[in-house]
Amino acid sequence: AWNNRGNALFNLRRNEEAIASYDQVLKFQPDDHQAWNNRGNALFNLRRNEEAIASYDQVLKFQPDKHETWYSRGYALFNLGRNEEAIASYDQALKFQPDHHDAWNNRGIALFNLRRNEEAIASYDQALKFKLDYHVAWYNKACCYALQGNIEQALENLQTAINLSPDQWREWAKTDSDFDGIREDERFQALIQEPL
């Protein structure tokens, strides 16, 4: 009942109250991995990433193969700028759920933050292997290629991202510093123009 109450509060975005309900569950059942996971998610929503990670670590003590928790833990580590640790968590998630396209994409972003662009591109390619219309990964690949000075690949990937989600990526590309090196290219300028 406490867990269900917590879930209802969580769904209402009343995260503090949800955490209090999950804490009640854990008072009676300290090994309830679902309550620990839900508590971690509520803490994550409150941007209390360190505490979220501690809750996710409790889950993984009881269920070391829970890929969703490894993924969420990676995201919280990423939010703290701990990219290497985030990659390790995403790798664990992918060990148990190899087709998790979001984990592949986020792993790519963490690698990108470490300026490991080739590895980032390889991660984005894995995300696209499992979800070909994943416009975020196409855009992220375009950024990597632009920073490498590979104009053709940058434009090709950006074109695909814009084709899949025109309003979002056209706007982002207009001001994204990753494209500064190709901003004056006529083909880039044509891509970011609003259609008539």
Side-chain angles (χ1 to χ4, degrees):
W2 280 114
N3 202 42
N4 290 339
R5 182 179 190 274
N7 291 343
L9 289 161
F10 179 85
N11 290 336
L12 292 169
R13 294 189 175 90
R14 290 164 55 184
N15 291 294
E16 293 285 358
E17 294 169 85
I19 292 165
S21 284
Y22 299 135
D23 286 344
Q24 286 298 314
V25 176
L26 296 166
K27 191 163 78 175
F28 300 110
Q29 287 189 292
D31 63 345
D32 187 322
H33 64 87
Q34 198 56 54
W36 279 113
N37 196 69
N38 295 341
R39 183 178 189 275
N41 292 339
L43 288 161
F44 179 87
N45 286 348
L46 293 169
R47 294 181 172 77
R48 289 163 54 185
N49 291 294
E50 292 283 1
E51 294 170 85
I53 293 164
S55 282
Y56 295 141
D57 286 345
Q58 289 298 314
V59 176
L60 297 168
K61 269 194 219 173
F62 305 112
Q63 286 230 309
D65 62 345
K66 192 164 173 67
H67 71 90
E68 304 98 329
T69 302
W70 282 112
Y71 172 76
S72 299
R73 183 179 185 275
Y75 209 141
L77 287 160
F78 172 81
N79 286 343
L80 294 169
R82 291 160 58 182
N83 290 296
E84 293 283 2
E85 293 170 84
I87 293 164
S89 271
Y90 292 137
D91 285 346
Q92 286 298 309
L94 292 164
K95 184 168 94 175
F96 300 113
Q97 183 79 34
D99 64 349
H100 193 309
H101 62 274
D102 286 323
W104 281 113
N105 183 68
N106 289 7
R107 181 180 185 274
I109 295 169
L111 287 161
F112 175 81
N113 287 344
L114 295 169
R115 299 293 173 241
R116 290 160 56 184
N117 288 333
E118 287 301 323
E119 293 171 82
I121 290 168
S123 268
Y124 300 139
D125 283 339
Q126 286 297 311
L128 292 166
K129 184 170 115 180
F130 299 111
K131 186 170 170 52
L132 191 58
D133 64 347
Y134 195 32
H135 52 88
V136 178
W138 287 108
Y139 183 85
N140 291 339
K141 277 179 64 178
C143 292
C144 286
Y145 283 124
L147 289 172
Q148 290 176 333
N150 187 336
I151 298 172
E152 299 304 322
Q153 287 294 322
L155 294 171
E156 186 179 309
N157 283 276
L158 181 57
Q159 177 72 68
T160 304
I162 289 172
N163 289 347
L164 292 167
S165 184
D167 296 335
Q168 180 178 5
W169 300 121
R170 187 174 283 120
E171 278 308 305
W172 277 46
K174 286 179 183 178
T175 57
D176 191 331
S177 63
D178 293 342
F179 296 112
D180 285 352
I182 66 169
R183 192 161 305 286
E184 302 309 316
D185 188 291
E186 288 176 9
R187 296 165 298 172
F188 179 80
Q189 287 295 320
L191 272 179
I192 62 171
Q193 294 307 312
E194 301 292 333
L196 299 174

